[in-house]
């Protein structure tokens, strides 16, 4: 595909990096020549220096024959105007824009084709809020990703010493839990992927990805680790857009406290939120944390815009006794650094946003993409179309499908029914198929599987 990416920040840079590796024709536009030059040295892409919403810059970037424009600059207004110009002047087929301000998102009629013709709206704050909410709703999980409108989930947990399945073969999972359908999609051991077989033995500290119906997640988690009690007390460091949204989602069911440094913002939060308690102060202030009984806190989540402040406050909270700590971290180098230490979960807005963007770039009918392990692996939800004559998957058993190396089919969602995939499972037309790839270089082969081809035979 020929894709124009506007904005070479963290999201635009990450997206260009992913797409350029997959043999797409990428043109990256930004006002900062030095950043573009650095990216061009590393990646196979074109760059254009200029304002992404200017018609002459878009024309120079190749908008006349582009398949897609992805506007992810730091300015909502630039992103929206760029999509309008791409539609009006160049008739670009697909227009994706990152829009962060709630003041725009509250008015959905703004984004109709006859108004601002944006095909896909991406709101990083909303995506991160959903991500944090799922982690809190599933104690013990490192990652929880929903597919098929929430009917099935892919969950990552770290196997602990003493878990019933640790030291045993995977095939014994069915004996431990008769009647509960699940499939281990992948195992990462010392950062190396292992494709699970029936005789694979789970070891302590393995990162295990399993697929199951949402209602069964807690039961399966208990097989891999000591089951965490449900969370009750949540402390959020930072009352910005994400902190406020998370508090609004959680305050009805949990005891939520927000620590906000800015006096005006703290006052606004206290007037806006219904039940959450708002504290004005520094989340890295040891005295404040002790006064607020940090040792009795179930989850401490640092959500400010400052990576270093998030890391330090989360580490301090953990040392003072918080059960689980999470930190929002923008810089990719920091994510790897902190997850191997005291902090339980590092939340990368770029990776969360990237998955939402990739779902609209993938060929075939791909409806959801989740980027895993900082982009090393990927989970995909694809819809099977056609029949046995025109499709490489429809009408075939799972063990007949020529899956690329490192790819597994974890589950099939048929209407409201969740089928955990086994060798004899037959894929039918309109099934939603959940796949796990430990080798992202094979993504094009997977996309090809789900493309209907009238000349297939």
């Amino acid at each position: 595909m020929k894709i124009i990416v506007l904005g070479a920040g963290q999201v635009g840079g990450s997206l260009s990096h992913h797409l350029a590796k997959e043999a797409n024709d990428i043109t990256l536009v930004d006002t900062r020549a030095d950043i573009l030059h650095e990216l061009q040295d590393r990646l196979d892409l074109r760059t254009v220096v200029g304002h992404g919403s200017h018609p002459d810059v878009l024309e120079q970037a190749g908008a006349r024959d582009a398949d897609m424009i992805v506007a992810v600059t730091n300015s909502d207004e630039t992103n929206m105007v760029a999509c309008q110009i791409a539609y009006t002047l160049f008739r670009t087929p697909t227009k994706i824009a990152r829009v962060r301000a709630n003041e725009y998102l509250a008015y959905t009629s703004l984004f109709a084709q006859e108004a601002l013709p944006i095909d896909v709206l991406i709101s990083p704050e909303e995506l991160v809020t959903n991500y944090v909410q799922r982690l809190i709703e599933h104690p013990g999980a490192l990652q929880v990703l929903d597919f098929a409108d929430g009917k099935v989930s892919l969950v990552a947990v770290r196997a602990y010493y003493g878990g019933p399945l640790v030291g045993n073969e995977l095939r014994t999972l069915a004996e431990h839990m008769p009647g509960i359908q699940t499939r281990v999609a992948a195992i990462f051991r010392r950062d190396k992927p292992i494709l699970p077989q029936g005789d694979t033995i789970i070891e302590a500290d393995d990162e295990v990805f399993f697929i199951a119906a949402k209602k069964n997640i807690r039961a399966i988690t208990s097989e891999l680790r000591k089951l965490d009690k449900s969370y009750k007390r949540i402390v959020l460091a930072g009352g910005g857009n994400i902190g406020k949204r998370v508090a609004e989602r959680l305050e009805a069911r949990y005891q939520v406290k927000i620590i906000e440094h800015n006096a005006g913002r703290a006052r606004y939060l206290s007037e806006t939120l219904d039940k959450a308690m708002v504290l004005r102060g520094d989340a890295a202030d040891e005295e404040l944390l002790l006064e607020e009984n940090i040792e009795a806190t179930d989850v401490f989540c640092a959500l400010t815009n400052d990576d270093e402040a998030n890391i330090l406050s989360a580490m301090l909270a953990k040392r003072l006794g918080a059960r689980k700590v999470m930190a929002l971290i923008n810089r990719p180098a920091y994510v790897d650094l902190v997850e191997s230490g005291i902090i339980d979960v590092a939340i990368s807005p770029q990776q969360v946003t990237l998955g939402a963007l990739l779902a609209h770039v993938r060929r075939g009918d791909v409806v959801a993409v989740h980027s895993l392990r900082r982009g090393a692996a990927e989970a995909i939800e694809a819809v099977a179309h056609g029949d046995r004559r025109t499709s490489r998957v429809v009408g075939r058993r799972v063990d007949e499908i020529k899956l690329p190396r490192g790819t597994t089919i974890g589950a099939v969602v048929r209407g409201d029914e969740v089928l955990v995939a086994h060798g004899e499972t037959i894929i039918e037309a309109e099934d939603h198929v959940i796949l796990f790839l430990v080798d992202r270089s094979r993504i094009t082969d997977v996309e090809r599987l789900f493309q209907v081809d009238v000349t297939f035979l």
Side-chain angles (χ1 to χ4, degrees):
M1 294 178 76
K2 186 169 184 179
I3 302 168
I4 299 173
V5 179
L6 307 181
Q10 294 279 6
V11 172
S14 298
L15 180 65
S16 299
H17 178 76
H18 274 68
L19 297 179
K21 280 187 168 182
E22 295 168 13
N24 292 289
D25 181 358
I26 306 298
T27 302
L28 184 58
V29 179
D30 201 281
T31 55
R32 298 164 295 177
D34 55 334
I35 290 176
L36 290 178
H37 184 69
E38 182 188 330
L39 285 167
Q40 196 169 25
D41 284 345
R42 292 191 289 114
L43 305 174
D44 180 20
L45 47 72
R46 287 180 63 233
T47 60
V48 173
V49 180
H51 288 276
S53 58
H54 290 180
D56 60 327
V57 173
L58 286 173
E59 181 151 28
Q60 189 184 345
R64 289 206 180 276
D65 57 351
D67 299 301
M68 179 182 294
I69 184 168
V70 183
V72 287
T73 74
N74 286 328
S75 164
D76 288 353
E77 291 75 17
T78 297
N79 297 338
M80 292 188 291
V81 170
C83 288
Q84 176 72 72
I85 290 170
Y87 172 77
T88 305
L89 296 183
F90 307 114
R91 296 297 177 193
T92 307
T94 304
K95 300 159 293 296
I96 299 175
R98 177 170 71 173
V99 179
R100 291 184 284 194
N102 253 339
E103 290 78 4
Y104 291 127
L105 296 170
Y107 297 93
T108 52
S109 57
L110 270 178
F111 306 103
Q113 287 297 309
E114 65 274 9
L116 282 167
I118 297 172
D119 302 299
V120 182
L121 274 174
I122 300 289
S123 169
E125 283 85 355
E126 183 68 14
L127 294 168
V128 172
T129 299
N130 293 340
Y131 191 89
V132 172
Q133 182 182 359
R134 287 195 296 267
L135 285 172
I136 288 172
E137 288 174 347
H138 299 285
L142 298 171
Q143 213 169 4
V144 182
L145 307 168
D146 284 347
F147 294 95
D149 297 322
K151 296 185 186 77
V152 64
S153 295
L154 175 70
V155 182
V157 297
R158 193 171 301 285
Y160 273 34
Y161 287 102
L165 196 61
V166 174
N168 293 309
E169 293 183 349
L170 270 181
R171 61 167 60 94
T172 63
L173 186 58
E175 299 165 16
H176 282 260
M177 310 176 64
I180 291 183
Q181 292 283 303
T182 187
R183 172 81 183 270
V184 173
I187 298 167
F188 284 84
R189 181 172 298 159
R190 292 179 283 279
D191 287 332
K192 295 275 186 357
I194 296 172
L195 278 181
Q197 308 291 335
D199 58 358
T200 302
I201 294 175
I202 299 286
E203 295 182 8
D205 284 333
D206 281 356
E207 193 174 331
V208 182
F209 287 83
F210 66 83
I211 289 175
K214 206 163 189 175
K215 62 183 179 182
N216 295 329
I217 289 172
R218 194 160 169 79
I220 299 161
T221 301
S222 69
E223 289 297 305
L224 295 162
R225 52 175 292 132
K226 182 182 175 185
L227 198 59
D228 291 13
K229 293 178 184 174
S230 295
Y231 300 140
K232 291 181 182 176
R233 301 173 189 85
I234 315 293
V235 173
L236 307 175
N241 288 336
I242 294 175
K244 177 176 176 284
R245 287 180 188 225
V246 172
E248 287 171 338
R249 296 277 187 90
L250 301 179
E251 63 180 353
R253 290 175 293 149
Y254 301 89
Q255 298 171 27
V256 178
K257 293 178 182 177
I258 296 186
I259 302 173
E260 170 56 46
H261 192 264
N262 182 279
R265 183 68 179 178
R267 190 178 303 110
Y268 166 75
L269 291 169
S270 65
E271 293 166 355
T272 308
L273 297 169
D274 293 330
K275 293 184 177 179
M277 181 186 295
V278 181
L279 307 167
R280 187 200 164 195
D282 181 357
D285 181 343
E286 185 171 348
E287 280 188 33
L288 174 62
L289 294 180
L290 289 171
E291 280 175 17
E292 296 304 323
N293 299 319
I294 191 66
E295 72 280 359
T297 297
D298 296 313
V299 180
F300 178 93
C301 196
L303 300 170
T304 75
N305 289 325
D306 185 328
D307 284 0
E308 288 82 359
N310 289 343
I311 292 167
L312 289 172
S313 61
M315 290 174 72
L316 179 61
K318 188 73 170 182
R319 186 171 67 79
L320 295 176
R323 275 174 61 194
K324 184 170 188 172
V325 299
M326 299 188 257
L328 189 70
I329 300 174
N330 286 286
R331 297 177 75 169
Y334 285 3
V335 175
D336 290 327
L337 190 65
V338 303
E339 275 202 336
S340 57
I342 296 170
I343 294 173
D344 297 300
V345 180
I347 302 160
S348 168
Q350 284 74 39
Q351 290 302 321
V352 175
T353 306
L354 189 61
L357 288 167
L358 289 174
H360 303 286
V361 176
R362 295 281 176 251
R363 300 170 185 83
D365 191 357
V366 174
V367 293
V369 174
H370 292 292
S371 187
L372 309 166
R373 295 188 60 82
R374 275 77 71 198
E378 212 165 90
I380 293 177
E381 176 186 345
V383 183
H385 295 298
D387 53 31
R388 190 174 176 89
R389 185 178 58 83
T390 60
S391 167
R392 294 169 176 81
V393 294
V394 173
R396 289 169 173 77
R397 290 162 43 118
V398 166
D399 56 12
E400 291 179 322
I401 298 170
K402 294 177 181 176
L403 290 170
R405 182 172 51 81
T407 304
T408 55
I409 293 177
V412 175
V413 180
R414 186 171 297 154
D416 290 327
E417 188 182 7
V418 177
L419 307 170
V420 171
H422 299 290
E424 64 275 10
T425 305
I426 296 174
I427 307 294
E428 297 180 5
E430 307 311 313
D431 280 354
H432 286 239
V433 182
I434 318 300
L435 302 103
F436 192 101
L437 292 83
V438 296
D439 181 0
R440 283 192 60 260
S441 67
R442 302 282 176 172
I443 189 70
T444 307
D445 299 330
V446 174
E447 290 172 342
R448 199 174 292 122
L449 278 176
F450 286 86
Q451 288 177 312
V452 176
D453 186 358
V454 291
T455 63
F456 177 53
L457 292 181

